[in-house]
C-alpha cells in the first residue's frame, strides 16, 4: 500500500482545520451513533445476539481452513468457480486475466473495500478497460479522484455544492440537473444506468460468505449491488478470506445486527444472497437472467499474517463501521487522516496488521483507549487490547519519535524517585500558576502545544493529591 | 501443490499461533433467544408489516379477488402512462389467472430472457430499460422490517424487481413471517431453488450527498405490495 510523504500529524492538522469536514463529522457520527442505539434498544435480544454473533465469528476464524474448503466445494457444486490469491498482485492478475480472456471492455463495480486494498481499478485501467464505481458515494469519490472517507458514507466530507461543481465539470450537468439533491441523484442514476446496460463484467465485494451453501451476501441501500451482479454476463466477487459464516442460519444472526450497528436501520434495503451463476440444464439457461459466469476470488493479502498473531481477534470484524462513529478521535479527524482503506479503531489494528508497523505505527496512537469501540462493536472485539499491543511493539522496535523516547525516559526516571517526583509536582504547580488563565492552559509551549492547539487544557490543582492527603490526615 | 492446498496450508500453519478469545471448537449451534414470536402475534403480522413498509416509503394494498389485483395494477400503470410489464411467469403469480386477466385488459408482458451472447444481451437490456413497471410474486415477507423475500428461478427473473423504476409485488398474506430468522428456518430451499435470494425493504435509497435521503437511486423508486388472501 502506498505510503504518503505527508505525515499522519500533518493530515490530522489539515482535518482539524477543515470546517466542512468538522460539520459533516458532527452530523453523521451523531446520527449514526444515536441510530444504532435506538435500533438495538428496540431489539430485546440484542445483547444475547451480540454474544452469539461473537461466538459464531470466533469459532469460524478458529476453523477457517475447514470452512473455506467447505465454501469452495459448495460454490463449485452450484457451478461457480473459485480462485485463491495469496497476494494483491495475484488477485489482480486473476481478475485481469479473466477480463482479458473474455474480451471485457466495460466494468461496473459495487462497493468493495478489498478491491481498494488491491488497487484493482488501476490494474484493469492499465489493461485498457473502463472501470466505474456505482455506489453513489464511491462514484462521486471516483469522479473527484479521491478516496472514500468513511466505510458506510464515503463522501461525508463533501457538500452538495462540491458535488454540483463536480457534476458540472465531469458530467456537463445543467442547472436543472443540479437543482437539488434528488435531481443530482437522478442524473447520477441515468449516467450509471447506461454503464450497467453496457457492462461486460461486474465486480463486487461480499459482506459475508456461507460455507454450507456457497452463497455470498451483499447488502446495499441503493440497489447497485444487485445491478452489478445481474446485468453483466460475468460476475467476479472479491472475498476477504475471513468473511465466512458456517451456515445460512448464522448469516441470519449477522444480518440481525449488521444494519442496526452500521446505520441504525433495521435492515438495509437490499439483502442480496447469491448462490452460483444463473442455473442451466444441458448448457441452456433456465433462469431468465443473472450472470452466466460467477468467479469468486478468495483473498489473503496479509490476513494470514494477522491470523497467526495477537491481532487475530480483529478478523471477527463484520465491517459495520460502528467503532468509527463512536471513536472520539475519528469524530474529530475523519477518515482521510488515517490514509488507509480501513479507518478508525478497526483500521488502526487492521492496517498495521496487514502492512506492518513500520509505516503505520502512528495509527495505534490515534486512540484515547476510552473503550468506546469495544462497547459498540457488535461482536465485542477488544480493540483497545490490540492497540496497546501494537504500541508496545512500536516501542520495542524503537519506532517512537525521539522526543517521545526522551520524554518517557525522563518520566520513568522521575516517577521512581519520590523526591524527584515531589519536586516535579511542585515545579508544575508553580509553573501552572504562572501561565494558567483562570485555571486553564490556553497555549502550552513546544511539544506540549498539541494539547492546547484545539482546546484548553485544565491546569493542575494548586495542591497535589498527596499533599492534601497528608494535610487531611494531620487534622 | 494446487493454489487451494497452498492457501489452506498457510492458514493451518498460522492457526496454532492465533490468539482467538472465546473460540469454541464446536459450532455454537442455533440461537434460541429470539423474541419475535412473543412480539408479533399472527393476527398482528399484516398491521406490523404494513406499518414497517410504510415507514420505508413502500405502499401496501389489500385485494380480495384477481379483478381487484388487476385494477390496482392498472391504476399504477396509468399513473406512469405505461402499458407494458416485466413480469414473473404466470405460474409464480397468485391468483393464477392474473396474467390472463392482465393480457385481456390490454397489458403487454414483455419477454425478459437475457441472451447468453454478450452483445445480444446488451441490446436486450437496453430495450428492457424502457419498461416502467415490474411485477413479481414473493416467497415471504418479514413483519418486523417490512422486507419482502424473492427467490429467483425459472420464470422468476431478478430484473422485474430491479430494472424498472416501479416494482409491484403480490404477496399472499399467509406468507408473512415475524422476522428474517423465522423465514430462513421455514425456507430451506431459499438458496437452492435459484441463484438469487433477495430481501427488499422499501424503494432504493441513498443518503450519500449530505446525508439527504433520496429515493430511487439505482433500484426502483416506488414499491407497491399487494396483499392477497
Ligand atoms: S471492529 Fe466491530 S465495530 Fe468496528 S467495524 Fe468491525 S465489527 Fe464494526
Amino acid at each position: 500500500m502506498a505510503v504518503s510523504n505527508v505525515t499522519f500529524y500533518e493530515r490530522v492538522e489539515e482535518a482539524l482545520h477543515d470546517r466542512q469536514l468538522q460539520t459533516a463529522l458532527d452530523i453523521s457520527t451523531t446520527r449514526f451513533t444515536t441510530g444504532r442505539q435506538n435500533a438495538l434498544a428496540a431489539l430485546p435480544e440484542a445483547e444475547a445476539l451480540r454474544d452469539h454473533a461473537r461466538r459464531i465469528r470466533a469459532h469460524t476464524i478458529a476453523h477457517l481452513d475447514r470452512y473455506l474448503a467447505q465454501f469452495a466445494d459448495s460454490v463449485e457444486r452450484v457451478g461457480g468457480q473459485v480462485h485463491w490469491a495469496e497476494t494483491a498482485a495475484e488477485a489482480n492478475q486473476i481478475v485481469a486475466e479473466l477480463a482479458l480472456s473474455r474480451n471485457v471492455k466495460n466494468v461496473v463495480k459495487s462497493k468493495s473495500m478489498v478491491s481498494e486494498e488491491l488497487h484493482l481499478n488501476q490494474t484493469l485501467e492499465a489493461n485498457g478497460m473502463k472501470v466505474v464505481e456505482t455506489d453513489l458515494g464511491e462514484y462521486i469519490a471516483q469522479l473527484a479522484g479521491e478516496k472514500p472517507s468513511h466505510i458506510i458514507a464515503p463522501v461525508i466530507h463533501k457538500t452538495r455544492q462540491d458535488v454540483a461543481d463536480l457534476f458540472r465539470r465531469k458530467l456537463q450537468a445543467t442547472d436543472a440537473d443540479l437543482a437539488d439533491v434528488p435531481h443530482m441523484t437522478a442524473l447520477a442514476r441515468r449516467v450509471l444506468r447506461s454503464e450497467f446496460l453496457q457492462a461486460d463484467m461486474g465486480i463486487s465485494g461480499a459482506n459475508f460468505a456461507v460455507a454450507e451453501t456457497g452463497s455470498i451476501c451483499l447488502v446495499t441501500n441503493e440497489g447497485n449491488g444487485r445491478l452489478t451482479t445481474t446485468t453483466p454476463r460475468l460476475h467476479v466477487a472479491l472475498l476477504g478470506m475471513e468473511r465466512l459464516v458456517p451456515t445460512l442460519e448464522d448469516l441470519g444472526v449477522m444480518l440481525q445486527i449488521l444494519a442496526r450497528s452500521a446505520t441504525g436501520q433495521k435492515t438495509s434495503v437490499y439483502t442480496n444472497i447469491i448462490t452460483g451463476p444463473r442455473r442451466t440444464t444441458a448448457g441452456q439457461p433456465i433462469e431468465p437472467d443473472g450472470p452466466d459466469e460467477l468467479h469468486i476470488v478468495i483473498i489473503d493479502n496479509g490476513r494470514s499474517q494477522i491470523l497467526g498473531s495477537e491481532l487475530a481477534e480483529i478478523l471477527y470484524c463484520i465491517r459495520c463501521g460502528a467503532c468509527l462513529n463512536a471513536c472520539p478521535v475519528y469524530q474529530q479527524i475523519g477518515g482521510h487522516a488515517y490514509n488507509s482503506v480501513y479507518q478508525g479503531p478497526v483500521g488502526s489494528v487492521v492496517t498495521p496488521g496487514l502492512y506492518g508497523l513500520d509505516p503505520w505505527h502512528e495509527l495505534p496512537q490515534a486512540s484515547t483507549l476510552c473503550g468506546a469501540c469495544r462497547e459498540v462493536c457488535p461482536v465485542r472485539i477488544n480493540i483497545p487490547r490490540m492497540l496497546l499491543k501494537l504500541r508496545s511493539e512500536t516501542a520495542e522496535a524503537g519506532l517512537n519519535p525521539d522526543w517521545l523516547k526522551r520524554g518517557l525516559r525522563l518520566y520513568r526516571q522521575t516517577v521512581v524517585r519520590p523526591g524527584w517526583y515531589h519536586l516535579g509536582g511542585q515545579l508544575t504547580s508553580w509553573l501552572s500558576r504562572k501561565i494558567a488563565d483562570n485555571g486553564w492552559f490556553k497555549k502550552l509551549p513546544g511539544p506540549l502545544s498539541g494539547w492546547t492547539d484545539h482546546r484548553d487544557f485544565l491546569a493542575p490543582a494548586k495542591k497535589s493529591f498527596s499533599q492534601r492527603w497528608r494535610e487531611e490526615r494531620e487534622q | 501443490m494446487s493454489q487451494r492446498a497452498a492457501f489452506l496450508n498457510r492458514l493451518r500453519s498460522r492457526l496454532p499461533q492465533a490468539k482467538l478469545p472465546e473460540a469454541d471448537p464446536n459450532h455454537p449451534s442455533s440461537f434460541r433467544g429470539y423474541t419475535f414470536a412473543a412480539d408479533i402475534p399472527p393476527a398482528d403480522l399484516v398491521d406490523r408489516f404494513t406499518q414497517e413498509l410504510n415507514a420505508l416509503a413502500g405502499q401496501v394494498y389489500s385485494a380480495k379477488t384477481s379483478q381487484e389485483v388487476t385494477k390496482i395494477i392498472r391504476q399504477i400503470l396509468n399513473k406512469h402512462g405505461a402499458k407494458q410489464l416485466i413480469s414473473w411467469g404466470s405460474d409464480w403469480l397468485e391468483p393464477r389467472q392474473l396474467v390472463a386477466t392482465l393480457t385481456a385488459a390490454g397489458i403487454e408482458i414483455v419477454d425478459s430472457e437475457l441472451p447468453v451472447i454478450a452483445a445480444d444481451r446488451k441490446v436486450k437490456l437496453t430495450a428492457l430499460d424502457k419498461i416502467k413497471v415490474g411485477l413479481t410474486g414473493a416467497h415471504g415477507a418479514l413483519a418486523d422490517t417490512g422486507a419482502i423475500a424473492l427467490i429467483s428461478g425459472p420464470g422468476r427473473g431478478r430484473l422485474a424487481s430491479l430494472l424498472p423504476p416501479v416494482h409491484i409485488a403480490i404477496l399472499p398474506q399467509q406468507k408473512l413471517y415475524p422476522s428474517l430468522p423465522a423465514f430462513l428456518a421455514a425456507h430451506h430451499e431459499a438458496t437452492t431453488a435459484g441463484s438469487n435470494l433477495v430481501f427488499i425493504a422499501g424503494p432504493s435509497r441513498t443518503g450519500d450527498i449530505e446525508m439527504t435521503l433520496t429515493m430511487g437511486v439505482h433500484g426502483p423508486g416506488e414499491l407497491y405490495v399487494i396483499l392477497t388472501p
Side-chain angles (χ1 to χ4, degrees), chain A residues 317-323 346 377-379 381 383:
Chain A
C317 172
I318 60 170
R319 303 272 186 273
C320 70
C323 59
V346 59
C377 176
V379 288
I381 298 174
I383 294 179

Side-chain angles (χ1 to χ4, degrees), chain A residues 45 59 134 137 160 189 193 200 222 226 229 231 249-250 266 269 272-273 275 278 287-289 307 316, chain B residues 18 21 24 27 30 35 52 114 121-122 129 152 158 161 163 195-197 201 204 206 208 210 218-219:
Chain A
E45 62 268 33
H59 166 78
T134 62
R160 70 184 68 188
R189 175 184 167 112
R193 181 54 71 92
D200 304 294
E222 300 183 354
R226 291 189 69 201
T229 58
T231 58
E249 200 191 320
D250 296 337
K266 288 181 189 142
V269 176
N272 188 21
I273 299 169
T275 314
R278 86 159 138 173
E287 282 187 283
D289 51 34
L307 181 66
Y316 301 180
Chain B
D24 202 298
H27 182 266
S30 291
T35 55
E52 294 292 340
L114 293 185
R121 186 178 174 113
K122 292 180 191 178
D129 191 43
S152 76
R158 311 173 185 188
S161 63
L163 210 55
S195 58
N196 187 229
L197 159 66
S204 149
T206 183
D208 275 347
E210 281 193 359
H218 284 299

Side-chain angles (χ1 to χ4, degrees), chain A residues 15-129:
Chain A
L16 291 172
H17 285 105
D18 184 336
R19 295 272 298 278
Q20 157 56 20
L21 178 67
Q22 291 299 318
T23 322
L25 281 168
D26 277 352
I27 299 173
S28 63
T29 56
T30 316
R31 196 180 297 182
F32 284 141
T33 39
T34 42
R36 172 193 166 273
Q37 257 162 14
N38 296 340
L40 288 174
L43 198 68
E45 62 268 33
E47 294 308 307
L49 261 173
R50 289 171 68 189
D51 292 336
H52 193 77
R54 177 173 172 83
R55 281 194 290 270
I56 293 171
R57 294 294 295 144
H59 166 78
T60 311
I61 302 299
H63 301 88
L64 197 55
D65 54 333
R66 191 171 93 205
Y67 285 119
L68 275 175
Q70 188 192 6
F71 173 72
D73 292 343
S74 306
V75 170
E76 282 159 6
R77 208 171 45 233
V78 290
Q81 293 178 55
V82 179
H83 308 262
W84 305 83
E86 180 181 354
T87 61
E90 277 178 29
N92 283 332
Q93 197 190 344
I94 291 166
V95 181
E97 274 173 13
L98 274 171
L100 287 171
S101 64
R102 284 149 181 85
N103 203 18
V104 167
K105 297 273 183 295
N106 301 311
V107 179
V108 283
K109 275 181 71 199
S110 75
K111 191 159 149 173
S112 154
M113 303 188 70
V114 183
S115 87
E116 310 245 350
E117 251 179 63
L118 306 179
H119 301 290
L120 179 61
N121 291 14
Q122 283 95 311
T123 306
L124 295 178
E125 281 159 6
N127 281 289
M129 291 160 216

Side-chain angles (χ1 to χ4, degrees), chain A residues 406-428:
Chain A
R406 271 201 299 271
L408 285 174
R409 204 176 308 133
L410 186 68
Y411 180 75
R412 190 176 58 225
Q413 285 163 357
T414 314
V415 294
V416 296
R417 295 176 173 82
W420 288 33
Y421 181 76
H422 284 300
L423 198 67
Q426 276 160 6
L427 204 69
T428 320

Side-chain angles (χ1 to χ4, degrees), chain A residues 189-190 193-194 197, chain B residues 86 123-132 163-165:
Chain A
R189 175 184 167 112
R190 286 198 302 279
R193 181 54 71 92
S194 62
L197 302 175
Chain B
I86 300 181
V123 172
K124 184 73 169 269
L125 276 167
T126 307
L128 289 173
D129 191 43
K130 311 229 165 11
I131 312 291
K132 298 208 177 95
L163 210 55

Side-chain angles (χ1 to χ4, degrees), chain A residues 119-271:
Chain A
H119 301 290
L120 179 61
N121 291 14
Q122 283 95 311
T123 306
L124 295 178
E125 281 159 6
N127 281 289
M129 291 160 216
K130 179 181 182 190
V131 185
V132 183
E133 297 288 346
T134 62
D135 171 89
L136 179 59
E138 303 255 338
Y139 178 61
I140 292 169
Q142 188 186 32
L143 281 181
E146 290 174 8
K147 292 212 180 79
S149 63
H150 187 284
I151 296 186
I152 307 292
V155 289
I156 50 167
H157 59 286
K158 284 195 175 305
T159 61
R160 70 184 68 188
Q161 196 51 52
D162 293 340
V163 179
D165 292 345
L166 187 68
F167 281 6
R168 207 185 294 278
R169 260 197 345 269
K170 298 281 179 155
L171 305 176
Q172 283 75 47
T174 63
D175 287 347
D177 290 332
L178 304 172
D180 53 18
V181 173
H183 280 84
M184 287 155 66
T185 308
L187 169 66
R189 175 184 167 112
R190 286 198 302 279
V191 175
L192 290 170
R193 181 54 71 92
S194 62
E195 300 292 349
F196 281 121
L197 302 175
Q198 293 307 312
D200 304 294
M201 177 161 104
I203 297 179
S204 75
N207 294 82
F208 297 104
V210 184
E212 159 193 73
T213 63
S215 311
I216 55 169
C217 174
L218 267 96
V219 297
T220 67
N221 283 320
E222 300 183 354
N224 61 314
R226 291 189 69 201
L227 282 163
T228 302
T229 58
T230 299
T231 58
R233 63 166 297 284
L234 176 63
H235 171 201
V236 176
L238 307 171
L239 180 69
M241 70 174 201
E242 80 287 10
R243 311 230 60 81
L244 252 61
V245 290
T247 66
L248 196 62
E249 200 191 320
D250 296 337
L251 175 67
V253 170
M254 297 300 157
L255 291 173
Q256 287 294 86
I257 52 172
L258 176 61
R260 289 176 168 97
S261 300
T263 52
Q265 291 171 282
K266 288 181 189 142
T267 172
S268 301
V269 176
Y270 300 108
T271 302

